[in-house]
Amino acid sequence: MRQSPRRPLILKRRKLPFPKSESEAPRDEPDGARCKAAPGAPGEQGFPDAVRIMDHPSMPDTQVVVIPKTADLKSVIDTLSAKGKECSPKGPYKFILLSGGSGSPEDWPSSLCLSSLGEDGNGRAFGNPLILKPKPEGGDRTNCPVDTKPLTAATSLNKEQDCSLLDDSLTNIQWLGGMCSDGLGSDAGRKVSNKENQEPHAHRLQLSQHLDGAQRPPYSYMAMIQFAINSKPERRMTLKEIYTWIEDHFPYFRDVAKPGWKNSIRHNLSLHDMFIRETSQDGKISFWTIRPEANRCLTLDQVYKPVVDSSTPPSTHVCEQQQLKPAFPQFKKATASVSSERKMKPLLPRTDSYLVPIQLSISPSLFLPSAQLPLAASQQNCSSLAADFQGGGKRVRIAPKCAPPPVEEFKEEPLYVTLTPVAPPQHPQGEVRGSRRKQYLAPPSREEPVLLFPDSTFFDSGLTSDFSASQDTGSESPGRVDQRATTRWTSAPSAHHRGPPSPPLHHNHATLSFSATPFREPPLFSSPRELLTSSTRWSPGLDHPRPCSGELQAGGAAPTNRSLTEGLVLDTMNDSLSKILVDISFSGLEDEELDVCNISWSHLIPELK
Amino acid sequence: MRQSPRRPLILKRRKLPFPKSESEAPRDEPDGARCKAAPGAPGEQGFPDAVRIMDHPSMPDTQVVVIPKTADLKSVIDTLSAKGKECSPKGPYKFILLSGGSGSPEDWPSSLCLSSLGEDGNGRAFGNPLILKPKPEGGDRTNCPVDTKPLTAATSLNKEQDCSLLDDSLTNIQWLGGMCSDGLGSDAGRKVSNKENQEPHAHRLQLSQHLDGAQRPPYSYMAMIQFAINSKPERRMTLKEIYTWIEDHFPYFRDVAKPGWKNSIRHNLSLHDMFIRETSQDGKISFWTIRPEANRCLTLDQVYKPVVDSSTPPSTHVCEQQQLKPAFPQFKKATASVSSERKMKPLLPRTDSYLVPIQLSISPSLFLPSAQLPLAASQQNCSSLAADFQGGGKRVRIAPKCAPPPVEEFKEEPLYVTLTPVAPPQHPQGEVRGSRRKQYLAPPSREEPVLLFPDSTFFDSGLTSDFSASQDTGSESPGRVDQRATTRWTSAPSAHHRGPPSPPLHHNHATLSFSATPFREPPLFSSPRELLTSSTRWSPGLDHPRPCSGELQAGGAAPTNRSLTEGLVLDTMNDSLSKILVDISFSGLEDEELDVCNISWSHLIPELK
DNA sequence: CGTATGTTTATAAACAGCATA
DNA sequence: CCTATGCTGTTTATAAACATA
Ligand SMILES: [Mg+2]
Ligand SMILES: [Mg+2]
């Protein structure tokens, strides 16, 4: 039981380069020996402006083709259709076409990042992921799969790379079998045999040893449930339908996973408030829905879209973090124990880039003048953060209304938005909030903090994006050092933001003042998750029976603006603000709504107006 | 790994008689062979009006003395002080004196329920548990332990009884050791050795084999954290203090538990919204507090108080449920697999009675006339529930404001209050709520449902009890059949409470109408937990720096009444309404506030006014 | 009764931030 | 100042107990 079941890695955490096969990295090297490519230098995987083809991490017989903006879509489709005939091991392959990025493999799970699947090609960029259809009309946002054949070379390459993981599956079987030895031989008849606490079937175990796409998908249960529910126009699903959808789209659960995965699905449905159970009119059918305020209507297709900017200097990705944060014991530990780590059940690859559904673009030429900055933003309180923010490239600061956003980095993309809190919250009873995120989002002040986008332009993904924008030149050092997106709490070490425990005092001697009421009340939020899930208002009698969060009207505020939280939340795939107020990587700049950069938090949280 | 770590049983679930030693109960007997004593007949454990002495389930050298109302406290104290000299194995013993109940062992964890610890004695009843002090002044609510010696006979009796569990500890050690065999011998160097994923120390393992009170306490982590935090006047604690408090009060975690229990503590602190982290003024210290609205200020002492009515017919406790619910596979399973079940790590004993902090009394002579019932309550909608409620004894119906309360039974006490929902919620989009509890508490209507207490009288425990009361004769059949407290959702099969998905429509064609807005918004509650935790308002600038939930003012409503949720919630030890709207066992009738029985839900949830 | 569904708790673990040695 | 480590806090995964339909 030392090898108790391990959870797949938390998504959207620090990105670690996937340990290739060097099972023993030098421990004395703080940066690790894996980063061979110099930052900024084009690595072996960097094929800028080239089409990238990689296997879908979970869908069998499916490949994802990332088409840079400069490529010609038509020719790519023709090429795919032509080359697809070559190899068809198990029937027609499907292609999912993505655009907007450089196609660097970092957009994919780490297990695939090293496969150098880039293929030359050229096509037109389009905004949303597109699954290639048999009759490619080139239309936007068609999600029907295509019956073409995969590219041989790329596929085989992927398979080999995947073998490293699949070998683990084989090992895992042995490992699991060893775990089943009860020892002691005490009472064998006691097992309840719930049919959910069993190992996968033997033939399934066999299947798991093959390359049938049964790798565990890199999505959390919560994410997959959202994918499933949002795949239906009604945006509701029965439990059984959720099971089926997940099995259909992630064969891992059908073929490899133990039956307990359904227990986990149910557990997630119950645990997370964002999932709400409804009952049909006759009361006989239970449907699971997503709270509309919390639903960003994420779909699997959206998630597949890599958010990469084509202007990215190639191969400045994996090693950046290591060099900037030399001391990273976890990484070194993982490095040294690759083989043993892989002996475990297939973990989620350590990557952050495929769960970023924010489809906002950054125009490098667009800079937001700091003159439009509200007085409160990023002046006094952000001074201490200047050192942290000077290294990276284009940065955008976001001033949260309430508590400072957490430190989170994800998405190693060339262009980033750093969400920067500008004002520490006023804490209850004169107490200061700790800096470990979550807990206690202080109510907003009159002066609304704003999201600051120094040199970026946003547009919303597939939904209407309509947030007011302000601008800030900020310190835009285009250097490639530490391109990771990073957000830090303004941990407010200066005492002038901490009030005494006296009654709700509003001492505005600082930039912002907050209502001191700390405890959870309806307009307040004790946790970022709550803030998120309560961000918008919606009554069931509106036009859309089940709108997404961005489609909800901001209560009291200008109702025309959609909340940025949608985009902010999309990348996290959960409803926790501690994962929401993170750096955002922008890419794939499109031409819509280039001038809306002032995001009022009161629109995101209408209750806090 | 079949024997993966099992969670201790969920508290406050169906009470099962502890499988004594008959390892093979007749499976063909639906009622089980354990119930030898006829219901209502005085069993071997029933010593009405006698002092009961039992070991504290977790505190070493501590015994709990349950003193019936009819006993003389002074003489009991004298007796304890005198007899305490006799045996002192490990130093002075402490006594915790409890009152208000019959002292039946059912008030204790099942492992102790069968020990027949009752001792004759006489003393005066007092309201709160009292730890006997060296200089017994007999004052109320003194919690300082006493330096006296335990009663020899009772103690030894307990020890023997405890051996059944402690033998399990010994077995568990072997079992754990067997689990430690990694098998496969794959990679031994991979283990991270977090110091929290290790087995308890060897000497601790040895200790666990002795009778040093290292049985696992029957409280959940959430409960113990509340105990800890509420033990301090400031009602806040650092993590380390919580650790220490728990270790001091439950030596199991100091001596037996694996280091991972601290991980679980932290996990619970983070997971449950009721625990809020604050930071000291200098920002250096983090304190954990309990959201005041959710804090019932439960303490370990309160929890130890058995809620037993002295007028209870003796030994009508354990077997009742079995006879009334013949088909109970879990019980039979546990019966048949006693030895094997006990091989596992010490589970929480299956009992419900020691987590009921509701210190309300029922006077059998007190009946609430139904004339005082508000019109909305229990008329039309409760008609379908009549069949369910006719069998038991004294019942009280509670009309929830929002969603129907869950079916829950607990506390096998002679007198019960059945919380009965009277109106099904109006569901969004014309959907009907399923009846598996949780999810969707519809907003309240103008006509407030009330708690109905047909023949009971309440008083609040140690805190001010001030809920308005209404009365209802109800169907009070004092028969002893199915005396378990049971609450059932009014599963609302009648369609007349289901509104179409149109905008918030309030069709009052039934008893109660609800706002149709189903999704979580600040004034709404998507889950019972939320309703609970948001039940009262409090701003940090009030008189009490950290009031309990009952001490909070109801926002907008009559602020003089305290919420019944305190009592309702106390028994569950968590903030989930699905465990709150349950049947309540009343006992230990006291003389305060006998006439307040109309509980307005708007007082409980001021936001729903 | 057996199964599917739903809720809750326990436990392990990954990982982040911070403090401190 | 750097670094290694431990503590604290958040989140996800998994198993299980138990309930309800
Ligand atoms: Mg849910
Ligand atoms: Mg918490």
Side-chain angles (χ1 to χ4, degrees), chain A residues 108-257:
Chain A
W108 205 250
S110 305
S111 58
L112 298 175
C113 281
L114 304 174
S115 56
S116 301
L117 296 176
E119 296 292 327
D120 57 338
N122 43 26
R124 192 175 61 254
F126 49 97
N128 267 341
L130 170 75
I131 296 184
L132 199 54
K133 294 177 75 72
K135 334 166 189 53
E137 76 280 6
D140 289 353
R141 308 181 187 184
T142 56
N143 287 330
C144 303
V146 173
D147 289 338
T148 53
K149 309 296 180 178
L151 299 175
T152 316
T155 303
S156 60
L157 247 177
N158 279 333
K159 298 300 186 189
E160 295 174 11
Q161 296 295 334
D162 294 341
C163 282
S164 60
L165 274 185
L166 289 164
D167 288 340
D168 297 339
S169 298
L170 176 58
T171 309
N172 290 333
I173 294 158
Q174 302 171 348
W175 171 68
L176 291 170
M179 290 214 332
C180 290
S181 66
D182 270 5
L184 296 175
S186 54
D187 40 82
R190 199 195 49 77
K191 201 89 204 84
V192 187
S193 178
N194 268 44
K195 203 161 53 173
E196 275 192 352
N197 55 2
Q198 297 173 345
E199 305 297 333
H201 294 293
H203 76 278
R204 291 186 174 178
L205 290 179
Q206 294 289 350
L207 284 178
S208 68
Q209 304 178 25
H210 295 86
L211 308 177
D212 59 349
Q215 311 118 51
R216 185 184 181 119
Y219 311 108
S220 67
Y221 286 117
M222 186 165 66
M224 290 187 290
I225 293 168
Q226 291 182 71
F227 293 156
I229 294 175
N230 284 327
S231 72
K232 300 247 293 208
E234 322 89 270
R235 294 205 219 286
R236 68 178 193 182
M237 252 189 190
T238 64
L239 177 67
K240 212 181 288 279
E241 286 172 331
I242 294 172
Y243 288 161
T244 303
W245 190 94
I246 291 176
E247 283 179 335
D248 289 344
H249 291 77
F250 307 111
Y252 168 85
F253 295 98
R254 173 171 37 83
D255 299 332
V256 182

Side-chain angles (χ1 to χ4, degrees), chain B residues 222-287:
Chain B
M222 185 164 66
M224 290 186 291
I225 294 168
Q226 290 180 72
F227 293 156
I229 294 175
N230 285 326
S231 71
K232 301 248 292 206
E234 323 89 89
R235 294 206 219 284
R236 69 180 192 181
M237 253 190 189
T238 64
L239 176 67
K240 214 180 285 280
E241 288 172 330
I242 295 172
Y243 289 161
T244 303
W245 190 94
I246 291 175
E247 284 179 334
D248 290 343
H249 291 77
F250 306 111
Y252 168 86
F253 295 98
R254 172 171 38 82
D255 299 331
V256 182
K258 293 194 289 185
W261 76 272
K262 292 183 176 178
N263 187 346
S264 295
I265 292 292
R266 298 195 305 273
H267 171 76
N268 273 263
L269 287 170
S270 283
L271 180 68
H272 299 294
D273 288 339
M274 79 176 308
F275 301 122
I276 293 180
R277 183 168 57 91
E278 294 182 358
T279 306
S280 62
Q281 294 231 353
D282 57 359
K284 297 203 185 309
I285 311 172
S286 277
F287 295 101

Side-chain angles (χ1 to χ4, degrees), chain B residues 10-216:
Chain B
I10 293 179
L11 302 178
K12 207 202 56 46
R13 290 292 175 91
R14 181 187 306 277
K15 178 175 182 178
L16 289 179
F18 190 75
K20 205 161 187 174
S21 53
E22 40 197 31
S23 59
E24 203 55 35
R27 287 193 161 281
D28 45 349
E29 261 191 63
D31 292 355
R34 188 155 300 100
C35 303
K36 297 291 189 276
E44 60 275 16
Q45 308 149 13
F47 293 88
D49 295 328
V51 174
R52 304 283 181 273
I53 302 176
M54 57 200 83
D55 279 354
H56 193 288
S58 60
M59 294 176 68
D61 306 333
T62 304
Q63 288 180 315
V64 177
V65 183
V66 182
I67 306 174
K69 297 175 178 299
T70 59
D72 175 45
L73 176 61
K74 183 70 170 57
S75 62
V76 170
I77 292 173
D78 293 342
T79 304
L80 291 176
S81 301
K83 300 182 74 173
K85 314 289 185 188
E86 301 175 1
C87 69
S88 60
K90 298 169 59 178
Y93 268 66
K94 293 185 286 282
F95 293 105
I96 296 177
L97 275 61
L98 302 176
S99 73
S102 62
S104 66
E106 301 87 75
D107 302 330
W108 205 252
S110 306
S111 59
L112 298 175
C113 281
L114 303 175
S115 57
S116 300
L117 296 176
E119 296 292 328
D120 57 337
N122 43 26
R124 193 176 60 255
F126 50 95
N128 268 342
L130 170 76
I131 297 184
L132 198 55
K133 296 176 74 72
K135 336 167 188 52
E137 75 281 6
D140 288 353
R141 307 182 188 183
T142 56
N143 288 330
C144 303
V146 173
D147 287 339
T148 54
K149 310 295 180 178
L151 298 174
T152 315
T155 303
S156 61
L157 248 177
N158 280 333
K159 299 298 187 190
E160 295 174 13
Q161 297 295 334
D162 292 343
C163 282
S164 60
L165 272 184
L166 289 164
D167 287 342
D168 297 339
S169 298
L170 177 58
T171 310
N172 291 333
I173 294 158
Q174 301 171 349
W175 171 69
L176 291 171
M179 292 214 333
C180 289
S181 65
D182 269 4
L184 297 174
S186 54
D187 40 82
R190 199 194 50 74
K191 201 90 204 87
V192 186
S193 177
N194 268 44
K195 206 162 43 175
E196 275 191 354
N197 55 2
Q198 296 173 347
E199 306 297 333
H201 293 295
H203 75 278
R204 291 187 174 176
L205 290 178
Q206 294 290 348
L207 284 177
S208 68
Q209 304 178 25
H210 294 86
L211 308 177
D212 58 348
Q215 311 118 51
R216 185 183 182 120

Side-chain angles (χ1 to χ4, degrees), chain A residues 1-5 179-182 190-191 197 258, chain B residues 1-8 172 175-176 179 258 341 343-345 347:
Chain A
M1 255 337 178
R2 288 293 126 258
Q3 300 101 329
S4 60
M179 290 214 332
C180 290
S181 66
D182 270 5
R190 199 195 49 77
K191 201 89 204 84
N197 55 2
K258 292 194 290 185
Chain B
M1 256 338 180
R2 288 295 126 259
Q3 302 103 326
S4 60
R6 346 217 125 179
R7 60 176 269 247
N172 291 333
W175 171 69
L176 291 171
M179 292 214 333
K258 293 194 289 185
E341 203 88 84
K343 291 288 199 328
M344 310 306 290
K345 79 172 45 180
L347 300 180

Side-chain angles (χ1 to χ4, degrees), chain A residues 429 501-504, chain B residues 538-548 551-553:
Chain A
Q429 311 207 4
S502 48
Chain B
W538 178 71
S539 58
L542 294 180
D543 293 336
H544 314 293
R546 228 163 270 287
C548 293
E551 300 165 353
L552 297 173
Q553 302 292 317

